[in-house]
């Protein structure tokens, strides 16, 4: 019968682990349990590919448009569908209000279609999505002297998600929208809008 060498490095580490209350068997069991829980969480995410997100926060105009318009508030509603653990399609509707100083106040509406890359592992609590998309943004002034116009826009940024459970997440979106406007209508050829919003995401 083989006898273990009490002075070998392997035996030394085995005894050290046992002295702090762990055994190789308990460590293997802990790793297996963690793997099972992660797999179950990932499977639940796969079973609920469709999700809805609602958020609200501030909207910051940047550039020449900001010379006559102050920061305002906005809300967003997003429908998403996870194609696989890495790629998601998003459809987002946004509404906002900007206070004009000294120009008119503005209601701003947008609809954007995006593809998003998800950096987190399936089943992880913390995840970050990186969307890139395009759509239309409507500037509706509260003034009869300026007409309502809709322009092409592109959008990207970071979407942070913390999953409370596999179907519910707290979100923080830091996005940027570049709107290609008209010098005649708004006095500038482009407008930067930076919405910063917190919300909830529910997998359906």
């Amino acid at each position: 019968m083989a006898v273990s060498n009490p002075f070998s490095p392997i035996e030394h580490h085995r005894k050290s682990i046992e002295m702090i209350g762990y055994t190789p068997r308990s460590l293997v069991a802990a790793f297996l349990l963690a793997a099972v829980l992660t797999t179950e969480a990932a499977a639940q995410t796969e079973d609920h590919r469709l999700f809805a997100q609602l958020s609200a926060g501030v909207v910051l105009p940047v550039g020449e448009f900001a010379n006559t318009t102050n920061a305002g508030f906005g809300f967003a509603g997003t429908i998403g569908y996870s194609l696989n653990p890495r790629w998601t399609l998003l459809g987002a509707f946004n509404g906002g209000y900007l206070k004009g100083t000294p120009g008119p106040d503005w209601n701003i509406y947008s609809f954007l279609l995006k593809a998003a890359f998800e950096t987190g592992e399936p089943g992880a609590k913390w995840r970050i999505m990186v969307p890139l998309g395009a759509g239309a943004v409507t500037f509706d002034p509260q003034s009869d002297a300026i007409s309502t116009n809709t322009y092409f826009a592109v959008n990207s940024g970071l979407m942070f998600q913390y999953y409370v459970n596999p179907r519910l997440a707290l979100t923080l979106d830091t996005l940027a929208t570049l709107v290609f406007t008209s010098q005649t209508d708004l006095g500038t050829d482009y407008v930067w809008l930076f919405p910063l919003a917190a919300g909830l995401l529910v997998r359906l």
Side-chain angles (χ1 to χ4, degrees):
M1 180 177 65
V3 178
S4 61
N5 179 4
F7 300 102
S8 69
I10 295 178
E11 186 68 14
H12 172 73
H13 288 300
R14 184 184 70 79
K15 289 184 176 181
S16 298
I17 292 173
E18 292 179 348
M19 287 177 63
I20 61 175
Y22 296 99
T23 65
R25 181 175 298 178
S26 65
L27 288 175
V28 171
F31 281 125
L32 289 176
L33 178 60
V36 169
L37 292 176
T38 300
T39 302
E40 289 181 352
Q44 290 183 22
T45 299
E46 286 294 311
D47 292 339
H48 301 280
R49 293 173 179 264
L50 184 68
F51 63 85
Q53 178 183 343
L54 293 175
S55 57
V58 298
V59 180
L60 305 174
V62 176
E64 294 183 19
F65 188 61
N67 294 335
T68 58
T69 308
N70 293 328
F73 62 87
F75 65 90
T78 301
I79 296 294
Y81 183 80
S82 299
L83 298 174
N84 56 50
R86 289 299 180 204
W87 290 100
T88 298
L89 297 180
L90 302 171
F93 173 79
N94 305 274
Y97 171 82
L98 299 177
K99 180 69 176 176
T101 306
D105 297 342
W106 295 87
N107 295 316
I108 299 179
Y109 311 100
S110 66
F111 180 74
L112 302 163
L113 294 176
K114 315 177 197 180
F117 178 77
E118 188 163 336
T119 62
E121 293 299 323
K125 283 188 173 293
W126 282 103
R127 308 180 201 178
I128 301 175
M129 295 177 67
V130 184
L132 177 62
V137 177
T138 297
F139 286 78
D140 179 21
Q142 296 184 3
S143 170
D144 296 332
I146 306 175
S147 60
T148 299
N149 291 284
T150 300
Y151 308 97
F152 175 74
V154 294
N155 174 273
S156 187
L158 296 175
M159 302 172 69
F160 300 91
Q161 303 168 349
Y162 177 76
Y163 276 80
V164 179
N165 59 51
R167 297 185 61 182
L168 178 65
L170 306 177
T171 65
L172 177 64
D173 296 344
T174 58
L175 302 172
T177 301
L178 175 59
V179 189
F180 298 94
T181 58
S182 166
Q183 182 78 31
T184 303
D185 298 333
L186 297 181
T188 179
D189 293 324
Y190 61 90
V191 171
W192 281 102
L193 298 174
F194 289 88
L196 176 63
L200 289 175
L201 181 150
V202 179
R203 290 193 172 271
L204 306 175

